Amino acid sequence: MYCTVISGALLGVSAYLVSVEVDIAQGLPGFSMVGSLGGEVKESRERVMVALKNVGLALPPKRITVNLSPADIRKEGSAFDLPIAVGMLEAMGYFRPGAAEGILFLGELGLDGEIKKVRGVLPIVREAAARGIRQCIVPAANAREGAVIPGIRVRGAGHIRELLQFLEAKEEAERERLLPAEQVDAAELSALESDENIPDFSQVSGQETAKRAAEIAAAGFHNLLMAGPPGAGKSMIARRIPGIMPCLTPEESLEVTSVYSVAGLLEEGTALVRTRPFQSPHHTISMAALVGGSASPRPGMISLAHRGVLFLDELPEFQRVALDALRQPLEEHKIQVCRAWGNVTYPSDFMLVCAMNPCPCGFYPDRGRCRCTDPQIRRYMGKVSGPILDRIDLCVELQPVDIAGLKKARRAESSREIRERVQKARERQRERFAGTRCRFNADIEGTNIEKYCPLGGEEQELMERLYHSLQLSARAYHRILKVARTIADLEGTERIGTEHLLEASFYRPSAEYWGL
C-alpha cells in the first residue's frame, strides 16, 4: 500500500515542505530510504523500527520503501522520524486512510515511542501556514514555539500512542480532547516586559564618556570599540547595552526566535525570544563557528546575535581570519555560507561591540606601569586589521575609575532612563526612513549621505578640516556624519551642528593611541 504524509525541512532559516512517501509491497523483507539523506535522516530507519516494535506495533515481513521528496535537496535532522512512522502506520492500516491528510508532522522518536524535541519547528510551521496547511502535530516540547504562528492549529504530542489514538478518532471533538491545540497570543507575549534579567547601567560608577558612546551606539545601531586597562569596566558596560536598546518588535522577535529555533537553542516551552540577543564568544572561536556553516548547516554566533549585540572581548586575541570574515556581514547584514552540501543564507544584522587592552600587559600609555616595548605594542594593535577598525563607528578609550569616583553617592542613570532617550531617537529614524530599506542611521548608504545628513556652510568647512587633519577614508568620513546624525536625533533636532560633528569626530581612533 502507498501513502503520503506532509513534513518540512530547513534551508538556512527558511523552510520548505517535504512529502514523505511510504510504500509497503510484497517481496523480500527490507526497509530502504531514498531522497538525498543526511546521516541523521538515514538513522531514522532504525529509530522508527525499534520504536514501533517497543510499543507493540509489529512491522509486516514486506518490502518498505520511503522517499523524501523533493529528492534533489539534501535533508538533515531527526524531525522526519514521526512522519515516517505515521506513513508506515497508515500503510499498514492502523488507522483509516486519509486521517493524516492535510496535517504536517514533525518529531524525533525515542526507542520507547517518546516524541522528542526537534529544532526548526517555528520556520517550518510558518511555511506550512503560508502554503495553506491548517493543522500541525509537533513534539509537546515544541508546541508553544509553533503556536505563535497565526492561522494554523498546532498540537503537541508526547508519545506515539497518543498520536495513534488521535488519528484513530473520527470526531473532531474527540481529537481536540486527545490532543488540544496550543494557544499562544504572540502580540501579548511581545508586549510583556522582558528586561528583568539584564544588568542595569545604574550599577556602573564613572566612565561617563564610555556610557555616552554606548547610548549613541544603541540609538543609531552603530558599532562600538572600547579600549582600556583591565578592570576599567569595558565588559560591564558592554553587557548592559541590550538593556538600553528598545524592546524587540513582534516582527523582530519572530526573526530572532526563528534563528534560535533553527540552532536548537530555544528552551523547552519557550514561545518567543523577547530580549535582545547578547552573544559573547570566547576568543578561541573558529571562523566557521563565528559565521556559521561547519560540516552541517547551522547558524553561527553572528546570526545568534541578529537584532542584538555581538560582543568580542579581548579583540586582538581572536584569529585574524575570523575577524576578517566579519567584513561582509557588517556591511550586508547577512552571511551566505557556501559549502559542499550547498548554499544557505543566515541573517546577521547585529551591533558589534568590542573590547580590548591597549597592549599585551594592558596598561599602555601609562609608562609608569606598562613594560611593553614599542614593537610589542605595534604588533599587538596590528592584530586588528585596518578594514575592521574602519567599519567601527565609535572608538572610546577608558581610564581606571579613581577611588573618589567609586565613593560618589550620586545615583547613576538607570538603563530605563537611557532607553527612553534611545527610543525617541529611534522613532525619529523610523519616520525619516519610512518607505526605504534603511532602519537606522548606521544603515545610511554613501549615495544618500547628503540627503539624510545635510550640512551648512560652517559645518562643511569643519568637516573639510577634519578630513585632512584626521586623514580619514571615505568610509570614515561618512561614519562621522552618521554618528553626528544620531547625536542630533538624541537631542531632538533635525539640524546637524558643529557640536555634533565635533563629538562624533572625538570617537574616531587616534593614530597615536591605536598605532595607525
Side-chain angles (χ1 to χ4, degrees):
M1 182 177 177
Y2 167 85
C3 66
T4 301
V5 175
I6 304 172
S7 188
L10 298 171
L11 190 62
V13 293
S14 301
Y16 62 96
L17 298 188
V18 174
S19 294
V20 179
E21 303 172 332
V22 179
D23 180 76
I24 299 180
Q26 299 292 338
L28 288 175
F31 192 151
S32 61
M33 296 178 58
V34 295
S36 188
L37 312 178
E40 294 169 331
V41 185
K42 292 177 181 178
E43 294 169 353
S44 292
R45 178 179 61 184
E46 308 302 327
R47 288 193 295 269
V48 171
M49 290 178 63
V50 176
L52 294 182
K53 184 262 295 183
N54 285 338
V55 297
L57 304 174
L59 295 179
K62 296 183 178 181
R63 180 164 186 80
I64 302 173
T65 304
V66 175
N67 176 47
L68 304 185
S69 176
D72 60 339
I73 304 177
R74 187 170 178 81
K75 321 296 188 307
E76 299 285 351
S78 58
F80 294 109
D81 292 5
L82 189 60
I84 290 172
V86 170
M88 292 173 61
L89 292 174
E90 181 176 355
M92 290 187 292
Y94 277 96
F95 56 86
R96 60 185 175 84
E101 186 177 353
I103 305 175
L104 182 140
F105 294 88
L106 291 171
E108 175 185 335
L109 284 182
L111 298 186
D112 60 350
E114 179 189 2
I115 302 176
K116 298 183 177 181
K117 179 181 178 182
V118 294
R119 63 186 183 92
V121 167
L122 177 59
I124 293 175
V125 172
R126 194 175 193 175
E127 176 65 14
R131 297 286 294 273
I133 295 175
R134 293 293 172 258
Q135 198 165 179
C136 183
I137 295 179
V138 301
N142 295 112
R144 284 181 57 78
E145 170 189 346
V148 301
I149 303 299
I152 186 169
R153 298 173 67 82
V154 178
R155 306 178 190 271
H159 198 275
I160 191 68
R161 283 198 174 280
E162 296 178 15
L163 180 58
L164 186 57
Q165 292 175 359
F166 172 86
L167 293 172
E168 289 174 339
K170 297 180 179 180
E171 300 296 330
E172 185 62 29
E174 179 66 10
R175 285 190 164 197
E176 190 67 30
R177 183 186 67 82
L178 291 169
L179 289 182
E182 190 72 30
Q183 302 292 331
V184 174
D185 190 334
E188 182 179 338
L189 276 179
S190 299
L192 295 176
E193 290 289 337
S194 57
D195 59 354
E196 61 274 3
N197 296 323
I198 301 177
D200 199 275
F201 261 99
S202 62
Q203 302 161 346
V204 181
S205 299
Q207 302 298 8
E208 299 302 325
T209 300
K211 288 192 284 188
R212 170 65 172 173
E215 179 182 342
I216 296 171
F221 216 68
H222 300 288
N223 301 322
L224 171 66
L225 173 59
M226 296 177 286
K234 303 184 294 294
S235 299
M236 176 181 286
I237 291 172
R239 294 185 183 280
R240 284 156 175 77
I241 290 178
I244 64 174
M245 300 172 72
C247 297
L248 289 169
T249 65
E251 295 77 14
E252 289 175 334
S253 187
L254 273 177
E255 290 178 20
V256 174
T257 306
S258 294
V259 174
Y260 277 72
S261 176
V262 169
L265 296 178
L266 275 185
E267 297 182 4
E268 185 172 333
T270 299
L272 280 176
V273 175
R274 296 183 293 112
T275 58
R276 292 278 175 184
F278 181 87
Q279 296 295 327
S280 180
H282 192 261
H283 62 260
T284 57
I285 189 172
S286 66
M287 182 185 71
L290 186 63
V291 302
S294 190
S296 60
R298 292 290 178 93
M301 279 290 184
I302 63 174
S303 297
L304 295 177
H306 182 61
R307 302 298 188 196
V309 174
L310 177 68
F311 177 48
L312 302 184
D313 202 2
E314 306 295 344
L315 183 65
E317 303 299 336
F318 282 80
Q319 299 179 36
R320 181 76 174 256
V321 65
L323 291 181
D324 286 343
L326 296 177
R327 296 186 191 182
Q328 182 184 10
L330 285 172
E331 295 291 332
E332 299 183 2
H333 307 310
K334 62 182 179 180
I335 177 70
Q336 186 172 17
V337 179
C338 303
R339 298 289 186 272
W341 39 257
N343 303 337
V344 295
T345 300
Y346 295 115
S348 58
D349 190 2
F350 58 91
M351 190 173 95
L352 179 64
V353 178
C354 306
M356 61 181 289
N357 296 328
C359 68
C361 76
F363 296 106
Y364 178 80
D366 184 358
R367 282 305 187 180
R369 304 176 68 185
C370 179
R371 294 294 181 266
C372 301
T373 64
D374 288 343
Q376 286 177 320
I377 296 172
R378 285 195 297 270
R379 186 163 52 250
Y380 183 79
M381 301 294 282
K383 292 181 179 179
V384 183
S385 67
I388 288 295
L389 197 59
D390 207 33
R391 285 169 168 80
I392 293 177
D393 300 341
L394 299 103
C395 299
V396 62
E397 304 159 15
L398 284 75
Q399 299 299 327
V401 180
D402 57 22
I403 189 66
L406 291 175
K407 288 184 175 181
K408 281 183 178 179
R410 185 176 66 86
R411 184 185 70 86
E413 275 191 307
S414 68
S415 294
R416 185 181 294 272
E417 292 172 308
I418 300 174
R419 187 169 63 234
E420 289 177 359
R421 294 197 297 270
V422 171
Q423 181 67 49
K424 291 178 181 179
R426 288 279 186 96
E427 290 172 359
R428 295 181 67 89
Q429 293 170 63
R430 184 168 58 251
E431 294 174 1
R432 177 182 301 124
F433 301 130
T436 70
R437 293 186 303 172
C438 290
R439 294 169 56 250
F440 309 109
N441 290 330
D443 299 332
I444 300 175
E445 298 178 352
T447 54
N448 292 323
I449 282 289
E450 293 185 1
K451 176 181 178 181
Y452 295 119
C453 305
L455 300 179
E458 184 180 355
E459 288 76 21
Q460 288 179 353
E461 293 178 6
L462 173 62
M463 284 306 300
E464 290 179 6
R465 294 197 300 270
L466 291 174
Y467 187 87
H468 295 294
S469 62
L470 298 180
Q471 298 181 344
L472 301 175
S473 66
R475 180 186 285 117
Y477 173 82
H478 289 159
R479 290 192 183 280
I480 287 180
L481 292 179
K482 288 187 279 189
V483 172
R485 172 74 277 161
T486 301
I487 296 172
D489 287 341
L490 283 169
E491 291 190 1
T493 177
E494 193 64 26
R495 175 183 172 276
I496 298 177
T498 55
E499 66 278 11
H500 306 138
L501 295 172
L502 289 172
E503 183 177 2
S505 65
F506 170 77
Y507 297 115
R508 293 305 305 167
S510 62
E512 179 182 358
Y513 186 90
W514 298 90
L516 298 178

